[in-house]
Each structure stands twice: as C-alpha cells, then as structure tokens.
Amino acid sequence: MKTHIERNTVQETLVIPLYGRKLCTEQFPNLFRDERAVELIERIDYDFSALEKRAKSTAYRFGALEVAMRETDLMIEAKDYLAAHPFAALVNLGCGLDQTAENCDNGTCKIFNLDLPDVIAVRNTLLPESKRVKNIAADLNDLAWFDRIDATNGVCFLAAGVFYYFKTEQIKRLFPAMAKRFPGGRLVFDAAGKRAVKIMLKTWVKEAGITSISDYFSVDGIETDILPWMKHATVSSRGYMLGYNDLKDPSVPGLFRLMAKIGDGLMKMQIVRMDFTEVCRVLKPGGTFLICNESDGTDETGLKFEKIIDGMKCHTAEELSAALKAAGFSGVTVDRYPKKPWITVLAKK
C-alpha cells in the first residue's frame, strides 16, 4: 500500500528533494545512483505531474545535479571517516527522507536520523527503524539530542541543505558545543556565501516575515566566517560542485560545468569539513604533544609517496603549526634538521 502525500503540506517538502535524487539517478547514472530514492518514490502516492513538467527545464535539471553532487560529497567524507572508525555512528542532521547515511552503511556502523517531530513521523512510516538505524525527533537547537547519540566508537555528522536556515548566532552555539561533546568526531555540511544564501532564502524569508537576511549563516571564507570562533576543530572546505568531481562525464552538458564553476566560485558554494580535536582534550594541562616526521612536506621523496599511497599527505611545518594552534595548543615550536627534510613540532597545552 502506498503512502499518500497531500499537496501544500510539510510532507510535500520532503518529496521534492527525493524526486531530484531520482531524476539525477536517471539522467546522470555514471555520476550518481540513489536506488533507495527511486524505490521510495514508487511507494509514495503523490501527483508528480508538476515536478515532471519542471524537470524538463535546464534550471531544474541543474538543481537536481546540485543535490546529487552534495550527497556524493558527503558520502565521500563519511566513508573516509568510517574507514578509520568502522563502528562509528553516522548522524544525518535534518534528514527529511534522505538516506545518505544508509547509502554509506558498512555493515557495522550505527545510523541516527534527526529531524523535527512531524518530519520523523513521515519517515517512520516510509523508512522505519531497524537494529542499527534510529530515527530521532529533535530540534537541533535543543542540545538535549546529544544524549541520544552513541559516539562510543566515533561519530560523523552529515547535514545537507540544513544550516542555511540557521542564524549565525545559533551556529556559533551549536558547533562548538558539538566539538566539546564529541571530540574526535567529524561534521560535514554544505555552505554558501552571502550572495547565494540571499538568493536561496529569498522566498522563504519573505513568507516568514524576516527583514534581515544578514543574520543567517553564510560562509564566504572559512578564514573569516568560521575559524575566528571555532577553536576546537580543524576546518577545511572544498568546492560543492567541482571539489570532488570534475563533472567531465559525457552526460553533463558544458553549460552545467560552466554553472558549476560559477556556483563554486562567485557563489562560494562549498562543502565544509570540521574534525573535532581529540589530542588536546586528552592531554593534561601543561602536557606536551610531539610530532616527528622525516618529510617537511616539500621534499621530492615525500611528494612522490603522496602520489603512490592513496590518502597520504605530508604536511609542511607551517600547516602542522596552524592545525595545532587551531586545536587549542599554545607555544608551538618547530625544529628542522639542517641537512635533511626532517622536522619536529612541539605543542604545549
């Protein structure tokens, strides 16, 4: 029996991105496949005629590609975390009917899907819980949901299209609290610059009677908009559309690749990754953390092995120093061996 979805309801807002993932699976199968979305669409009783008509437009097709690339990007980061923490928790924040975490399931991780109560009610009907999958009704701004997450073996948080609707002051409270509660965890989310956020929220802001869009979270650059207040995490970002995939697949029109460049460039569309610091938390006050490395990140041998060993990265002394300071260490000193590219880095807590 199919689940009926009424027009002009909260449930309908869950169907639209789901249909986008189905559309992208059909039109760009070499780049993206979400068979779970295709299967779920078949179980929903809803008049898709309006969406099918819109799906013929260039703007809608590119929007579907954006949704697909975002999910692919988040999956890459989640799978990278699970490779090092196979029994970790994957937490999908503001999940809707999205199954990104389930698409990353390695058979041993735990999965937690969080959203508001009316959304979780629909999810429980269409995507009920299982032994390792829990659906949690929660307001992300009420930090009581922290207690519902089993992060014993690590945790990776994913958020797709969520934080555009948060005020900056809410984000400045939420992220540091997550870093403090879940050291060693990871948060991955999509963000965009002020120009893009203003465009995306234009209709919603008008309907909500909001007068100042500048209060809402945007990221023109992590150096200016995140690092000054996010002290206990290593923060990095990559292009939303082209940071993980060059989109040179024959199914992607040249116009879409141009639009992707504009999105990542002018609009500052990006995937932000935060790795919550762990070593600084474990060390006692006054403790010293030592790094010894036979490569300073600039020597030919080290750079050669980066190309040979998948995932290997030889960091420069400057990069290590900056990362340690961002993690909360002070008194970072670097010593270099004069005749070889050997370095030692000392950091005090």
Side-chain angles (χ1 to χ4, degrees), residues 58-76:
T58 297
Y60 194 91
R61 289 175 60 231
F62 182 74
L65 182 61
E66 286 183 321
V67 170
M69 289 302 96
R70 177 176 67 192
E71 182 171 334
T72 300
D73 299 346
L74 296 185
M75 286 177 62
I76 289 172

Side-chain angles (χ1 to χ4, degrees), residues 295 297-307 312-314:
S295 171
T298 63
D299 63 294
E300 292 184 4
T301 301
L303 296 176
K304 180 180 71 174
F305 277 104
E306 282 188 350
K307 298 177 181 179
M312 178 177 174
K313 170 65 176 174
C314 295

